[in-house]
Amino acid sequence: MPDKLYPKGSEWRKWDLHIHTPKSIIQEYGGDNKASWDSFITAIANLPPEIKVIGITDYLFLDGYEYLLTRREEIPNIDLIIPNIEFRLNTFAGTAENKKRHNFHVLFDPIVSVEEIRDQLLNCLSNAYLIKDKTKWEQTPTRRSLEDLGKEIKGAAPENNSIQSKSNLEVGFDNITYDRDEILKNLRKSPFKGKYI
């Protein structure tokens, strides 16, 4: 029996679940400013018609996803926008000469609010580092706390180290890692049950 919504039967849709925004710490859009966002939203609004679902990806935060929702009416061609948080883990892959940290993505059902994700996952994660000069840094991930970590690391590094040319936020982000089991433990909380992959 034909479906009234789709009288032809099954129709294929394309999804792109890994799209960073101008608010991502590492991005190539030109920064978090109006011109970059206008260009980004225009590009999303002009995606081929078969693309119906996108995942808005951010490292450790939901800022890009949250902002995009404020301009949702400008992209009516997209049926569903999914929040995707990307973590860098404290485990590595690769070869002895070229090791890279594992990236770990958590995609949430959009019915889970930004506040719940922040309160019940992101604000529950913490990490601690002992800086070379014996300073201890232990905080949850926020832009301000990552800037603080970056400042501490740069302060302990030699003046000619390449990290000195990066912002405190970039250095903090480059060095922060999380334990996969700690993330999974927090995802077992009731607001997330059956609402993430």
Side-chain angles (χ1 to χ4, degrees):
M1 182 167 148
D3 185 295
K4 291 179 183 175
L5 187 58
Y6 298 106
K8 296 188 297 186
S10 297
E11 292 185 17
W12 289 97
R13 301 285 190 265
K14 290 185 178 178
W15 294 23
D16 186 341
L17 299 178
H18 192 164
I19 300 174
H20 284 278
T21 74
K23 283 194 179 286
S24 288
I25 294 171
I26 307 292
Q27 45 84 16
E28 298 178 5
Y29 295 108
D32 181 15
N33 56 60
K34 184 176 182 334
S36 295
W37 271 102
D38 289 347
S39 177
F40 177 82
I41 289 172
T42 298
I44 298 291
N46 288 299
L47 286 170
E50 61 270 15
I51 298 177
K52 293 296 181 190
V53 178
I54 58 174
I56 297 300
T57 306
D58 245 325
Y59 302 106
L60 303 177
F61 306 115
L62 291 162
D63 300 348
Y65 171 76
E66 188 174 33
Y67 179 76
L68 187 62
L69 293 181
T70 68
R71 296 182 65 175
R72 180 68 174 98
E73 72 284 348
E74 297 177 56
I75 46 175
N77 56 311
I78 301 298
D79 292 343
L80 184 65
I81 301 173
I82 297 172
N84 177 358
I85 302 175
E86 184 171 353
F87 297 92
R88 288 191 174 162
L89 299 183
N90 57 2
T91 55
F92 294 84
T95 64
E97 298 80 34
N98 186 15
K99 291 183 181 176
K100 295 189 178 192
R101 290 190 184 114
H102 288 127
N103 287 341
F104 185 71
H105 292 258
V106 181
L107 288 85
F108 289 92
D109 184 322
I111 66 170
V112 180
S113 72
V114 168
E115 292 77 18
E116 282 179 313
I117 296 169
R118 278 196 187 115
D119 293 348
Q120 300 301 321
L121 174 62
L122 299 177
N123 291 346
C124 299
L125 299 173
S126 67
N127 215 332
Y129 293 91
L130 191 59
I131 310 298
K132 185 178 180 180
D133 66 358
K134 306 295 187 219
T135 303
K136 186 174 183 182
W137 180 93
E138 184 173 11
Q139 298 186 43
T140 56
T142 65
R143 286 183 179 270
R144 187 180 48 75
S145 70
L146 290 181
E147 286 175 353
D148 184 48
L149 174 60
K151 181 180 177 183
E152 295 285 341
I153 291 170
K154 286 170 71 173
E159 288 183 26
N160 61 349
N161 189 295
S162 63
I163 67 168
Q164 300 296 353
S165 65
K166 294 182 175 183
S167 72
N168 291 343
L169 178 62
E170 288 175 300
V171 172
F173 170 71
D174 286 346
N175 286 278
I176 194 81
T177 61
Y178 289 94
D179 182 271
R180 182 177 184 267
D181 291 336
E182 183 185 5
I183 296 167
L184 292 173
K185 179 186 80 174
N186 282 288
L187 288 170
R188 288 195 286 270
K189 294 176 180 175
S190 54
F192 306 134
K193 191 171 183 179
K195 298 174 186 167
Y196 73 91
I197 55 171

